[in-house]
Protein backbone atom coordinates (compact mmCIF):
# COMPACT_ATOMS: atom_id res chain seq x y z
CA UNK A 1 0.00 0.00 0.00
CA UNK A 2 1.45 3.34 -1.07
CA UNK A 3 1.42 6.14 1.47
CA UNK A 4 2.24 9.77 0.81
CA UNK A 5 2.63 12.16 3.73
CA UNK A 6 2.98 15.90 3.15
CA UNK A 7 4.51 18.36 5.59
CA UNK A 8 5.81 21.90 5.67
CA UNK A 9 2.62 23.88 5.23
CA UNK A 10 1.75 26.86 7.39
CA UNK A 11 0.99 30.56 7.54
CA UNK A 12 3.31 32.98 5.77
CA UNK A 13 3.17 36.60 4.70
CA UNK A 14 3.01 37.58 1.06
CA UNK A 15 6.47 37.53 -0.45
CA UNK A 16 7.64 34.82 1.90
CA UNK A 17 8.73 31.24 1.26
CA UNK A 18 7.77 27.75 2.30
CA UNK A 19 9.16 24.33 1.46
CA UNK A 20 6.75 21.44 1.28
CA UNK A 21 7.91 17.84 1.60
CA UNK A 22 6.18 14.62 0.71
CA UNK A 23 7.53 11.33 2.01
CA UNK A 24 6.47 8.20 0.16
CA UNK A 25 6.43 4.54 1.05
CA UNK A 26 5.01 1.34 -0.37
CA UNK A 27 6.52 0.96 -3.84
CA UNK A 28 9.79 1.73 -5.57
CA UNK A 29 9.82 5.51 -5.34
CA UNK A 30 12.37 6.13 -8.05
CA UNK A 31 10.29 4.46 -10.77
CA UNK A 32 7.40 6.93 -10.82
CA UNK A 33 6.60 10.50 -11.67
CA UNK A 34 5.29 12.74 -8.91
CA UNK A 35 3.18 15.85 -8.82
CA UNK A 36 1.92 18.64 -6.61
CA UNK A 37 -1.65 19.88 -6.86
CA UNK A 38 -3.61 22.39 -4.81
CA UNK A 39 -7.20 23.11 -3.95
CA UNK A 40 -8.52 26.42 -2.71
CA UNK A 41 -11.91 26.69 -0.95
CA UNK A 42 -14.75 26.45 -3.44
CA UNK A 43 -12.43 25.61 -6.32
CA UNK A 44 -11.40 22.48 -8.15
CA UNK A 45 -8.09 20.80 -7.49
CA UNK A 46 -5.50 22.16 -9.90
CA UNK A 47 -2.09 21.16 -11.16
CA UNK A 48 0.93 22.95 -9.72
CA UNK A 49 4.07 21.03 -10.73
CA UNK A 50 5.33 17.63 -11.77
CA UNK A 51 8.66 15.82 -11.96
CA UNK A 52 9.52 12.65 -13.83
CA UNK A 53 11.13 9.55 -12.35
CA UNK A 54 14.72 10.78 -12.62
CA UNK A 55 14.14 14.44 -11.87
CA UNK A 56 15.30 15.33 -15.35
CA UNK A 57 11.97 16.72 -16.49
CA UNK A 58 9.82 19.21 -14.64
CA UNK A 59 6.70 21.12 -15.63
CA UNK A 60 4.85 23.93 -13.90
CA UNK A 61 1.53 25.68 -14.02
CA UNK A 62 1.87 29.14 -15.52
CA UNK A 63 0.68 30.66 -12.26
CA UNK A 64 3.71 29.37 -10.33
CA UNK A 65 6.40 29.27 -13.00
CA UNK A 66 9.51 31.11 -11.87
CA UNK A 67 8.41 31.09 -8.21
CA UNK A 68 8.05 27.39 -7.35
CA UNK A 69 10.57 24.58 -7.80
CA UNK A 70 9.83 20.87 -7.62
CA UNK A 71 12.61 18.43 -6.83
CA UNK A 72 13.03 14.88 -5.60
CA UNK A 73 15.50 12.83 -3.63
CA UNK A 74 15.06 9.20 -4.63
CA UNK A 75 17.41 8.03 -1.90
CA UNK A 76 15.09 9.59 0.68
CA UNK A 77 11.83 8.71 -1.09
CA UNK A 78 10.85 12.36 -0.86
CA UNK A 79 9.59 15.02 -3.22
CA UNK A 80 9.79 18.72 -2.43
CA UNK A 81 8.08 21.91 -3.49
CA UNK A 82 10.05 25.07 -2.81
CA UNK A 83 7.66 28.02 -2.93
CA UNK A 84 9.08 31.54 -3.12
CA UNK A 85 7.47 34.95 -3.57
CA UNK A 86 4.22 33.60 -2.24
CA UNK A 87 1.00 35.43 -3.01
CA UNK A 88 -2.39 35.36 -1.24
CA UNK A 89 -3.80 33.53 -4.27
CA UNK A 90 -1.44 30.64 -3.50
CA UNK A 91 -3.52 29.90 -0.40
CA UNK A 92 -4.80 26.33 -0.69
CA UNK A 93 -4.44 22.79 0.53
CA UNK A 94 -1.46 21.30 -1.28
CA UNK A 95 -1.44 17.62 -2.22
CA UNK A 96 1.35 15.45 -3.51
CA UNK A 97 0.52 12.61 -5.84
CA UNK A 98 2.33 9.66 -7.35
CA UNK A 99 1.73 8.48 -10.88
CA UNK A 100 1.73 4.91 -12.13
CA UNK A 101 4.03 6.09 -14.94
CA UNK A 102 7.66 7.16 -14.97
CA UNK A 103 7.08 9.97 -17.46
CA UNK A 104 3.87 11.81 -18.11
CA UNK A 105 2.38 13.60 -21.07
CA UNK A 106 -0.93 14.70 -19.55
CA UNK A 107 0.81 15.58 -16.29
CA UNK A 108 -1.79 18.25 -15.47
CA UNK A 109 -4.60 15.68 -15.32
CA UNK A 110 -5.60 14.26 -11.94
CA UNK A 111 -6.32 10.83 -13.44
CA UNK A 112 -2.65 10.38 -14.31
CA UNK A 113 -1.92 9.96 -10.59
CA UNK A 114 -3.10 6.95 -8.64
CA UNK A 115 -2.00 7.77 -5.10
CA UNK A 116 -2.56 10.96 -3.14
CA UNK A 117 -1.47 12.38 0.18
CA UNK A 118 -3.80 13.87 2.76
CA UNK A 119 -2.78 17.44 1.99
CA UNK A 120 -1.11 20.28 3.88
CA UNK A 121 -2.58 23.76 4.33
CA UNK A 122 -0.70 26.77 2.97
CA UNK A 123 -2.05 30.18 3.92
CA UNK A 124 -0.53 33.38 2.56
CA UNK A 125 -1.58 36.60 4.25
CA UNK A 126 -1.54 39.96 2.48
Amino acid sequence: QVQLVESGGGLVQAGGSLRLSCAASGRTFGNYALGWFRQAPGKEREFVATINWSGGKTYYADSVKGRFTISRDNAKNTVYLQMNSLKPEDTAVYYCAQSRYSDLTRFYELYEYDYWGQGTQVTVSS
Side-chain angles (χ1 to χ4, degrees):
Q1 182 70 16
V2 173
Q3 285 192 319
L4 302 172
V5 180
E6 301 98 335
S7 61
L11 174 64
V12 64
Q13 287 188 332
S17 298
L18 282 175
R19 188 195 197 202
L20 305 183
S21 300
C22 174
S25 62
R27 66 182 180 186
T28 307
F29 180 82
N31 289 354
Y32 304 101
L34 296 151
W36 285 97
F37 288 74
R38 66 187 182 186
Q39 187 166 17
K43 295 188 176 182
E44 294 186 349
R45 193 170 298 189
E46 65 175 6
F47 167 75
V48 175
T50 191
I51 188 166
N52 77 332
W53 68 277
S54 67
K57 295 179 185 178
T58 58
Y59 300 96
Y60 298 91
D62 287 344
S63 59
V64 306
K65 202 171 294 182
R67 300 187 298 122
F68 290 11
T69 302
I70 188 172
S71 61
R72 65 189 297 162
D73 185 338
N74 287 347
K76 295 183 178 180
N77 288 1
T78 302
V79 61
Y80 305 97
L81 185 69
Q82 178 67 44
M83 305 186 295
N84 298 329
S85 302
L86 282 161
K87 305 175 181 180
E89 51 263 44
D90 294 318
T91 295
V93 177
Y94 283 71
Y95 299 90
C96 72
Q98 188 178 68
S99 174
R100 66 181 69 85
Y101 306 113
S102 58
D103 279 278
L104 298 174
T105 51
R106 298 185 182 273
F107 45 81
Y108 44 85
E109 298 284 7
L110 275 70
Y111 61 71
E112 292 287 344
Y113 302 85
D114 53 353
Y115 290 100
W116 294 80
Q118 82 290 348
T120 186
Q121 176 70 46
V122 172
T123 303
V124 184
S125 63
S126 56

